[in-house]
Amino acid sequence: MNRTKHHRNFRKLLFVSIITILTSGIFYKYLTSTECSATNSSVTTTNTTITHLMEGTKIEYIPASGGEMIRHKYYILSFNDRYKQANWVYYSLKLRATKTATERTNNFRADKMITSGSAKPSDYTKSGYDRGHLCPAGDMTQSSEAMSETFYMSNISPQLPAFNRGIWKSLEEQVRKWGMREQLYIVTGPVFKKLKGTIGKNKITVPGFYYKIIYSPAHQQMIGFLLPNEKSQQPLSDYVVSVDSVENLTKIDFFPQLPDPIENDLEAHSYYEKWK
């Protein structure tokens, strides 16, 4: 009786082993075929997409933070209900040499995707502040749809006219020059420090500072800018900071999808001269 039971247990163990081996082989074949498929795939990245092909894997460099994340077609943002504006706006930029026919629309309007309600254009009327773009209209000239998206009020933040039309405009123009030569990934937003009060019926907070972070995969370099919301005659190089310092101010983790050694190295230093 014990001998018969022993044989049955042996045959059961042998059967399970064979099934395990066969299943492992099939699973391995599936994995390798999937990896080959991903490696051989190709993605064309322009400023109509916010993804990037990195070692055969599609990557979105979405910052890690609180807030309601909203995906528009040409950019992504995190909305801060307390301050009634974005924590950050993320998009990719690669401009073509040929000038497009798309012109500025100025069709400012509330963003209906914001569940708590965005600012309204009327909040800025007679406030003394410009409707400052975070994702610039000038970066989205490839189509009327892309241009129009930049006028959602969720992409707007109150900026002093001398700042918006001065040093901030200069920074946006400089980034576009870099975007003519290579693919860039950009995060822009306000810094809620040294606040300047609120405006409008919806109590839109006026930030004390703004930041802009640019990542170049082609050259494996990153640069950060931190500018006070005020008039300035200083050169842009005076406002270059490390990405780490912006993270400390905003409590936002930028480009967390990068491998930690690369992220830590790129975010520790910013060298303006390397971008010229």
Side-chain angles (χ1 to χ4, degrees), residues 252-263:
I252 298 171
D253 185 8
F254 301 104
F255 300 94
Q257 298 79 12
L258 292 171
D260 284 343
I262 295 176
E263 181 188 4

Side-chain angles (χ1 to χ4, degrees), residues 258-275:
L258 292 171
D260 284 343
I262 295 176
E263 181 188 4
N264 293 338
D265 181 59
L266 294 180
E267 293 184 351
H269 308 284
S270 289
Y271 300 106
Y272 188 71
E273 59 273 12
K274 290 185 176 181
W275 288 80

